[in-house]
Amino acid sequence: MRFFAIGDIHGCLTALQRLDQEIQFCADDTVVTLGDYVDRGPDSCGVIDYLISLRSRCHLVTLRGNHEIMMMRAKEDRSVLFDWLACGGHETLTSYSSDSFAGIPQSHWDFLDETIRFHEEAHDFYVHANAYPDFALSDQPDYMLFWERFGDPSPHFSGRRMICGHSAQRNGRPLDVGHSLCIDTWAHGGGWLTCLDVRSGIYWQANQQGSLRMDRLD
């Protein structure tokens, strides 16, 4: 059984497909996606379609990111619509060939609604952005889980390693400080989409040009 984590996708369907083509996710695999499926990149619609389909081939755990939060809030409260549009919402609506939320299918809203705040395993836990080191995950405020930058995090009291995204590593490499690991490698900005084999430390990266590379955490 393999265990993977995928960083912030941000509408980068080509990179996601290239990773899947190389790794070939299957029924025995658990794949944790760290949120931010939408906005900024060219094909948020295609990414959500792909992830919905991927659920039938592996155990897919989908975390919620701050961009999903902004998108869902904008649907319910039009006073924040322009804030979302300015943060990549325009690209998201364009991917649905629409200028309004009416063009987004209910199955995609259902997907967003089903995303979760965090995920825990024996040796690691997964959040979109960050976590207070002395709070249980169930007690973490939304600000930390979805919005706080990686910075210089302290070890979590549980002893588990934190694996997160959100803070784009523009050099294209995961940021590993031992007890915490950020794998957002700026896929939408000309960087790479990272998929980490959590147990071995091997990671694959693909970009929107379809290029692929592979490395291992230090």
Side-chain angles (χ1 to χ4, degrees):
M1 179 178 177
R2 301 181 298 177
F3 205 107
F4 299 102
I6 298 178
D8 303 34
I9 302 170
H10 277 302
C12 293
L13 177 61
T14 297
L16 178 61
Q17 290 174 321
R18 184 69 182 89
L19 288 174
D20 190 11
Q21 179 185 29
E22 177 68 17
I23 300 168
Q24 298 186 13
F25 301 122
C26 63
D28 289 335
D29 296 333
T30 295
V31 180
V32 181
T33 51
L34 298 178
D36 281 5
Y37 313 110
V38 301
D39 298 349
R40 294 182 172 160
D43 199 355
S44 297
C45 174
V47 165
I48 294 179
D49 269 336
Y50 201 84
L51 292 174
I52 290 171
S53 175
L54 187 58
R55 282 176 169 170
S56 67
R57 291 195 282 118
C58 68
H59 177 218
L60 182 67
V61 179
T62 52
L63 270 59
R64 181 170 299 180
N66 62 302
H67 281 264
E68 285 75 55
I69 290 173
M70 286 191 287
M71 182 175 173
M72 290 188 287
R73 283 179 179 169
K75 181 190 178 191
E76 299 301 324
D77 181 359
R78 296 307 170 92
S79 70
V80 298
L81 175 61
F82 289 105
D83 292 336
W84 173 63
L85 291 174
C87 291
H90 276 297
E91 291 89 339
T92 294
L93 288 180
T94 297
S95 75
Y96 287 95
S97 301
S98 179
D99 58 3
S100 74
F101 290 118
I104 301 176
Q106 184 59 45
S107 61
H108 286 207
W109 291 116
D110 292 343
F111 173 88
L112 297 179
D113 285 337
E114 291 162 5
T115 54
I116 60 176
R117 299 176 77 238
F118 59 84
H119 180 71
E120 294 179 276
E121 293 287 335
H123 302 291
D124 303 295
F125 69 86
Y126 303 81
V127 294
H128 174 64
N130 210 331
Y132 281 122
D134 50 353
F135 284 23
L137 292 181
S138 58
D139 295 330
Q140 297 284 336
D142 285 353
Y143 176 79
M144 284 299 292
L145 291 180
F146 302 122
W147 299 93
E148 181 59 62
R149 293 293 172 184
F150 189 75
D152 184 20
S154 298
H156 193 260
F157 79 90
S158 67
R160 294 184 175 100
R161 177 177 57 167
M162 178 177 74
I163 299 178
C164 67
H166 183 64
S167 298
Q169 305 305 306
R170 298 193 177 203
N171 64 2
R173 299 292 181 182
L175 178 55
D176 183 8
V177 297
H179 56 76
S180 301
L181 172 63
C182 178
I183 62 169
D184 176 4
T185 43
W186 208 38
H188 71 89
W192 299 80
L193 179 62
T194 295
C195 179
L196 170 71
D197 183 321
V198 172
R199 291 169 179 153
S200 71
I202 294 170
Y203 63 88
W204 297 259
Q205 295 183 304
N207 63 20
Q208 281 295 94
Q209 288 69 51
S211 297
L212 185 84
R213 65 187 190 182
M214 183 177 173
D215 206 341
R216 185 189 293 269
L217 299 175
D218 293 334

